Amino acid sequence: MAEAEGAEDRKPRSDEARSAFTAPEGVESAPVPEDEQPTSEFTVPDGLETLAAEPEGSAFAPPRTYSAQQSPPAYTGGQDFPLARMTESPWQDRMRTMLRMPVGDRPVTEPAQRHGEAGPAVPRVLDLALRIGELMLAGGEGAEDVEAAMFAVARSYGLDRCEPTVTFTMLSITHQPSLVDDPVSANRTVRRRGTDYTRLAAVFRLVHDISTPEIDVSLEEAYRRLAEIRRNRHPYSGWVLTAAAGLLAGAASTLVGGGVLVFFAAALGAVLGDRLAWVCAGRGLPEFYQFVVAAMPPAAIGVAISLLEWDVKASAVITGGLFALLPGRALVAAVQDGLTGYYITASARLLEVMYLFIGIIIGVLVVLYLGLQLHTSPNPEEVLRITERPPVQIAASMVLVFTFAILLQQPWSTVWVVTLNGGVAWVTFGALHYAGGIPPVPSTAVAAGLVGLFGQLFSRYRHATALPYVTAAIGPLLPGSATYYGLLSIAEGRLDKGFASLTNAAALALAIAIGVNLGSEVSRLFLRLPGRASAEKRQSAKRTRGF
């Protein structure tokens, strides 16, 4: 009897050992007819007396040295797949790698935060993960990075078998304690979006601290820090943002060939448009109408200069105003989600970009049509004639990136770095397009690729999110001239040239987004990732070949 009890104690005890089809204790099972009894491949065939009578190599007998304490780990690497500690790489790489693995191949949870044997309450951990994901998604992070952050928080507090899901406005996370227990699910809706990279950087640091074993962050401490992040005011006031929008438009007009008068005219138009957009936002109007109203003052000033027949480049005024409105940040996030396999979120983001772009088109077209009724004589060809002034254009591009970073509410420590990154991007574009004669689309893609590459490396060096080092740097590459030329051609009735120019603008925008994403992926090829001996064998999405 003692031996039988000892053998019973040596059996592995786990949730998988219980079956959902086993009758509870005290309930007798109904007899099953012999002809309906199922057979099992693990059933001992008739004629075998006991498992102990089988030799050690038999398929029906366990090894003599087997015990629950000496059982193999749940995750082992195969040939040419050496194991690495999951704490050797940044948390976003570790979580992204595990998210791309099948659920059965993921490593066993190694909680970074240990607070007692019972651990924190599951609903509170899931709620914390959702709140962190909400701030990141509202701040412009890609869907894969948001899922990685939610996954990192859950695993850091010891919750295994967690599956986060992110769409454009909905976040959900599911935790299944075991194969036979009921799952616990929670979700949250993102209703308001706001660009504040200072807040986003603080959330990123919080996730980093939670997923680092050397830093003790209790659940209460994490909630306290998250509440402080929510309460913190934006680093720059509204009038500072308005002044930054004016300087951005003035720098953009200089970039496309404008002079001193054009600089101040474009800056004035952008300031008026920004103030009108603030008024509309205070009245509760949707963002679409805010873009319509913001696009009108720069176009109106450009038309007024044409009516006065001043010897200045009036088209540069309107083009500079468009640079401050083009939704480059949303476009990059949309293409990034599409390239990483989040097609629903990517489609929603692209639809948002399309609506905002249509709002800009309507605002400019209304003013241009009124100007044509007043017998203005715009010269569409001057839009495409950009005077090459390398020193002035490099300085203008860096001012544009600097002011763009202010509009994105970036931390002051990242503004100078992204300004340098944007200057490098414009120098690369100018060397390829103006000096090398390469078409604008591939030149833009290469310059944007360098932006993504350097931005990713800067973010890894400072253990921060890559958006503050990337988004503002693409400002000089935005297709403002092609957009204005297309709108002016449509207003004059030349639909073929107008739609061709708008198509070219869309191609340039996609080249920017794809180049940024490709540069980020190339940078990861040279970084050490968990579970791989070299970057050549880095795990990625599986090919579907279209089916």
Side-chain angles (χ1 to χ4, degrees), residues 520-542:
S520 300
E521 293 295 327
V522 168
S523 68
R524 294 192 184 103
L525 292 177
F526 302 99
L527 298 175
R528 184 176 182 181
L529 295 176
R532 292 296 186 187
S534 63
E536 183 180 359
K537 299 179 180 179
R538 173 174 175 263
Q539 184 166 347
S540 61
K542 183 182 293 186

Side-chain angles (χ1 to χ4, degrees), residues 308-391:
L308 295 175
E309 296 183 355
W310 290 353
D311 189 17
V312 296
K313 193 174 182 180
S315 61
V317 177
I318 303 177
T319 303
L322 291 179
F323 268 89
L325 297 176
L326 293 176
R329 173 186 58 86
L331 179 64
V332 171
V335 175
Q336 179 181 357
D337 287 342
L339 294 176
T340 52
Y342 295 83
Y343 300 115
I344 296 178
T345 307
S347 301
R349 289 185 188 270
L350 285 175
L351 187 62
E352 179 191 31
V353 171
M354 185 186 71
Y355 271 106
L356 298 181
F357 195 71
I358 290 176
I360 297 172
I361 290 175
I362 292 175
V364 175
L365 277 181
V366 168
V367 176
L368 290 179
Y369 181 76
L370 292 177
L372 291 175
Q373 300 305 312
L374 296 175
H375 305 289
T376 58
S377 56
N379 183 12
E381 304 303 328
E382 75 173 359
V383 182
L384 304 179
R385 293 196 301 265
I386 298 178
T387 306
E388 298 182 19
R389 300 174 295 175

Side-chain angles (χ1 to χ4, degrees), residues 112-113 208-210 212-217 225:
Q113 306 295 330
H208 174 267
D209 293 345
I210 290 175
T212 302
E214 291 77 13
I215 303 177
D216 185 17
V217 182
R225 289 179 57 178

